Amino acid sequence: MKVYSEFDLTEYNSYKVRAIGKTVYFPESEEDLISLYKESTEYIVLGSGHNVILCKDYYEKPIIIFNGNFNEIIWDGNVGLQLEAGVMMHDAAAEALNRSLKGLEIFYDIPSSLGGAVVMNAGASGEEIKDVLVKVRYLDLKDLQIKEILKDDISFEYRNSFFQKNTDKIVLKAWLELALSDKVEIKNKMELIKEQRWAKQPKDFPNAGSVFKRPPGYYVGAIMDDLQLKGYKVGGAKISEKHGGFIINFNNAKGEDIVRLINEVNEKVYEKYHFKLEVEQRVIE
C-alpha cells in the first residue's frame, strides 16, 4: 500500500481544483483496506475523482483513493466481466469491445470508476450500470466483513443506490453480464456516443459532468436557458455556455467557488420555479 503526506489532489479530481490531503492512502488489496479500517473509520473515500467537489483547500481527515489501483479486469471466457472498484469505465468498455461484448458502449466516454458508477448508478441515454450488473462485492464497515449483494437487493434508482444511501459499505468489485455482438457495431456505437457527447459537452475545461439531477417534468439545460444563467460566474467557476447543466473551472477555481455557484443558481431557480435542483455531485467537506 502506498501512503503519502501533504499530497496534492489536483490530478485526483476532475475539476482540477487544488487541494492538499494531509495523509493519502492508495490500498492495493482488500487486506490493505481492512487494515486501514481496523485503525480508524474516519476516512474520505475517492474513486476516480469524478462527480465530486473538493470544497476545502486542505484536508486533515485521511483520504483513501481508488485510482490507479484496484483496477483488475477478469473475463470469464463467455459474456461476463469482473471489475475491481478502481477500473475506469472507459477501460471496461474497451475490454468488452475486445471480447466482442455489448452493453458497456454508453460508458466509453463517461468518466467514472466502476465503484463510482455502481454507487451512483451511472448511465446516459436511458442506459445504466444496473442494466448489466449481476452482483457487487463490498466491505461492510459495521463489522469489517467482506460481503456480496445481488443486483435486485441494491435498490437502484435514478443516480442512486443502496451504496449511496449506506456510506459504510465500500464497493470492491462487481460482476457484469454482457452479450455477444458484432465488434464493428459495438465500435460504431461507442464512437457515435463519444461524438455526440463532445458536440454538446464542455470538454475543453475541467468539469465533473452533470451537476444537477433532472427534476421531474423539466430539463436542467432548459431551466438555465430560461434564467439566462449560461456564463454565470463565481470566482473561477462558471456555468458552461455550451451546456447549462455543467459547471466548468475556467480560471483556477476553488472548490468553494463551485459550491457558491451552485447555491446562487439554486436561489434563482427557487425564485422562478419554487423548487431547488438536487445536486448530483458529491461535495467533499
Side-chain angles (χ1 to χ4, degrees), residues 24-25 30 66 111-112 114 128 146 155 167 173 184 190 238 265-266 270:
V24 175
Y25 299 91
E30 293 178 355
F66 293 88
S112 173
L114 178 278
E128 297 170 316
I146 303 291
S155 304
T167 56
K173 180 188 288 188
V184 174
M190 291 166 72
K238 71 176 175 179
V265 165
N266 252 332
Y270 190 79

Side-chain angles (χ1 to χ4, degrees), residues 97-268:
L97 170 65
N98 186 49
R99 304 295 182 183
S100 298
L101 299 174
K102 69 176 182 178
L104 293 181
E105 297 93 319
I106 200 73
F107 296 100
Y108 179 55
D109 196 48
I110 289 182
S112 173
S113 63
L114 178 278
V118 170
V119 169
M120 69 170 292
N121 190 24
S125 305
E127 297 181 41
E128 297 170 316
I129 191 71
K130 71 175 179 62
D131 300 333
V132 294
L133 193 72
V134 176
K135 66 178 179 179
V136 174
R137 183 176 175 88
Y138 67 95
L139 174 63
D140 191 336
L141 300 184
K142 286 186 176 179
D143 54 15
L144 290 185
Q145 296 298 306
I146 303 291
K147 300 177 182 178
E148 294 181 357
I149 183 171
L150 295 174
K151 175 179 72 172
D152 291 345
D153 298 319
I154 299 178
S155 304
F156 280 117
E157 301 171 8
Y158 173 67
R159 302 299 174 264
N160 208 341
S161 75
F162 164 84
F163 292 104
Q164 188 133 302
K165 298 170 185 174
N166 295 272
T167 56
D168 59 348
K169 322 294 184 198
I170 309 297
V171 174
L172 302 173
K173 180 188 288 188
W175 283 256
L176 308 183
E177 184 176 1
L178 307 174
L180 285 169
S181 186
D182 179 74
K183 187 176 287 189
V184 174
E185 290 183 8
I186 296 170
K187 180 65 173 176
N188 288 343
K189 182 177 178 180
M190 291 166 72
E191 293 297 339
L192 177 61
I193 289 167
K194 182 177 180 179
E195 180 182 334
Q196 291 173 337
R197 287 217 185 99
W198 278 68
K200 294 185 294 184
Q201 297 180 3
K203 297 288 188 177
D204 45 349
F205 289 98
N207 68 83
S210 298
V211 178
F212 304 103
K213 293 183 180 181
R214 178 165 51 84
Y218 295 88
Y219 289 97
V220 173
I223 290 174
M224 298 301 168
D225 286 338
D226 182 38
L227 296 176
Q228 298 183 327
L229 286 174
K230 285 184 176 179
Y232 186 80
K233 305 172 187 175
V234 171
K238 71 176 175 179
I239 302 294
S240 169
E241 292 94 344
K242 192 171 186 180
H243 191 307
F246 286 66
I247 288 176
I248 60 173
N249 176 358
F250 77 101
N251 187 22
N252 297 316
K254 294 185 174 183
E256 63 186 33
D257 295 340
I258 298 168
V259 173
R260 274 185 53 211
L261 179 54
I262 289 170
N263 291 337
E264 291 186 17
V265 165
N266 252 332
E267 288 174 6
K268 297 177 184 299

Side-chain angles (χ1 to χ4, degrees), residues 68-80:
N69 51 337
F70 264 87
N71 57 1
E72 185 178 27
I73 300 175
I74 299 175
W75 175 51
D76 71 357
N78 190 15
V79 295

